Amino acid sequence: MKLLKDKVMAEGIVLGDQVLKVDSFLNHQMDPNLMKEIGREFVQRFEGQKITKILTIESSGIAPAIMTALELNVPMIFARKNKSLTLKNDIFVEKVYSFTKRETNEITVSKKFMHSNDNVLIIDDFLANGEAAFGLARIVQQSGANVVGIGIVIEKSFQPGAKLLQEAGFKLESLVKIASLENNTVTFVEE
Ligand code: G4P
């Protein structure tokens, strides 16, 4: 997605050779016009699938997820990271380990909002090790619903998540793929 690549080149800040800071348009300040285009792009890439819900995880997944949901006119659910006050019987719970933050979060989704007849598209802002995406997929599976696919705004292809998700059989669509962040430079995967 050229618009997104241009934005990464213009505003992305490389931190070490593992982390890309994009807090001017995705992780802190958000660019609504870019999010709108991201929503449209995801809808095109998953065209023909009968998506009934979008699922993401708070907080930075919410913007691209809601714009995709708006394009499709379906609800968007974000998994919560904090422990909900609701009774455990009413929620789907999965553990997600963050390598970046070195902590395990319990992510939760209310059973009210996901059912066995749903076709769910998972959306997230970054794909690194795939922990968040796998955790979200396990929540969908707990509900008995179907994972249509996984849409990622920025994939760090040099980390294992993308390969692991594809090996697990998920249809993965990443809008930009980063091959390397070495030498303070963003290198995209050639397509
Ligand atoms: P994984 O889910 O693919 O295994 O990734 P990981 O645990 O490493 O990521 C943990 C958090 O760090 C996630 O955000 C993820 O989006 C973010 N992250 C991972 N790599 C990068 C990167 O290179 N740049 C930026 N900016 N973020 C990265 P989170 O904890 O869910 O935070 P938020 O959604 O509340 O912002």
Side-chain angles (χ1 to χ4, degrees):
M1 186 182 175
K2 185 173 183 305
L3 188 64
L4 186 58
K5 271 189 179 171
D6 291 348
K7 198 81 172 171
V8 168
M9 290 312 284
E11 298 182 25
I13 298 165
V14 179
L15 296 180
D17 53 15
Q18 297 287 309
V19 174
L20 177 70
K21 200 169 157 75
V22 285
D23 62 352
S24 68
F25 63 91
L26 185 59
N27 289 141
H28 190 19
Q29 176 172 263
M30 290 182 177
D31 179 335
N33 287 308
L34 178 66
M35 291 305 145
K36 196 162 134 192
E37 294 306 319
I38 285 172
R40 287 190 174 149
E41 182 77 21
F42 279 134
V43 171
Q44 276 180 19
R45 292 197 187 205
F46 290 96
E47 208 175 349
Q49 319 271 349
K50 290 197 167 41
I51 296 163
T52 61
K53 297 245 162 92
I54 305 292
L55 176 65
T56 189
I57 180 166
E58 62 176 343
S59 53
S60 301
I62 293 177
I66 193 73
M67 296 316 275
T68 310
L70 183 64
E71 270 301 297
L72 289 171
N73 197 25
V74 298
M76 184 276 283
I77 306 162
F78 65 90
R80 294 181 179 275
K81 284 180 192 158
N82 56 334
K83 287 212 184 75
S84 167
L85 294 174
T86 335
L87 292 170
K88 284 248 164 155
N89 293 351
D90 301 336
I91 51 177
F92 299 116
V93 185
E94 284 292 338
K95 284 194 166 53
V96 169
Y97 178 71
S98 166
F99 287 92
T100 310
K101 297 186 175 164
R102 293 201 188 89
E103 62 182 23
T104 300
N105 280 299
E106 276 200 335
I107 64 167
T108 63
V109 167
S110 168
K111 288 183 181 172
K112 269 193 297 194
F113 302 128
M114 198 169 292
H115 305 106
S116 57
N117 57 351
D118 275 318
N119 275 319
V120 181
L121 174 61
I122 293 171
I123 298 282
D124 207 1
D125 57 332
F126 265 93
L127 176 59
N129 295 288
E131 291 286 324
F134 273 113
L136 291 171
R138 288 195 300 271
I139 285 204
V140 178
Q141 286 155 356
Q142 273 197 52
S143 75
N146 173 47
V147 179
V148 167
I150 299 171
I152 297 291
V153 180
I154 300 178
E155 171 189 309
K156 291 189 291 181
S157 310
F158 57 90
Q159 290 184 293
K163 189 164 172 277
L164 293 173
L165 288 170
Q166 278 159 340
E167 281 172 0
F170 294 110
K171 176 175 164 57
L172 175 68
E173 287 288 342
S174 302
L175 304 189
V176 299
K177 297 181 186 174
I178 293 176
S180 157
L181 293 172
E182 282 170 21
N183 305 318
N184 260 339
T185 308
V186 179
T187 308
F188 294 104
V189 172
E190 281 184 40
E191 290 180 83

